[in-house]
Amino acid sequence: MTTRWPWISMLVSLILTLSPHGREIIDAAFFAGEALSRNIWAPIALTIFAIMAAVILMEWLIRIYILNRRARGATTA
């Protein structure tokens, strides 16, 4: 691991968003012609986006922790 960028979770989020099911959810949540469909799917889609953002943030923080720990080197106690 040589980079701090959370590329694994970003790639998974992108694939899930661009998959047919992800595009259907986005379409139903934000571009549907019926208000009922938008009102049902919008909170679901926003919750999914928040979960994806939290996973990306967690991966980034874990990568920073691991890189900082490796930079300190091995110590003997």
Side-chain angles (χ1 to χ4, degrees), residues 22-73:
R23 296 193 63 174
E24 284 182 23
I25 291 173
I26 292 172
D27 187 47
F30 303 113
F31 304 115
E34 299 176 359
L36 179 62
S37 178
R38 286 192 309 266
N39 288 337
I40 291 171
W41 281 103
I44 295 170
L46 293 175
T47 302
I48 292 170
F49 293 154
I51 290 170
M52 287 192 292
V55 169
I56 290 171
L57 179 66
M58 281 180 37
E59 182 185 354
W60 182 64
L61 291 173
I62 289 169
R63 284 177 175 267
I64 287 176
Y65 175 74
I66 290 172
L67 285 174
N68 286 342
R69 189 170 177 197
R70 284 186 183 172
R72 281 186 286 164

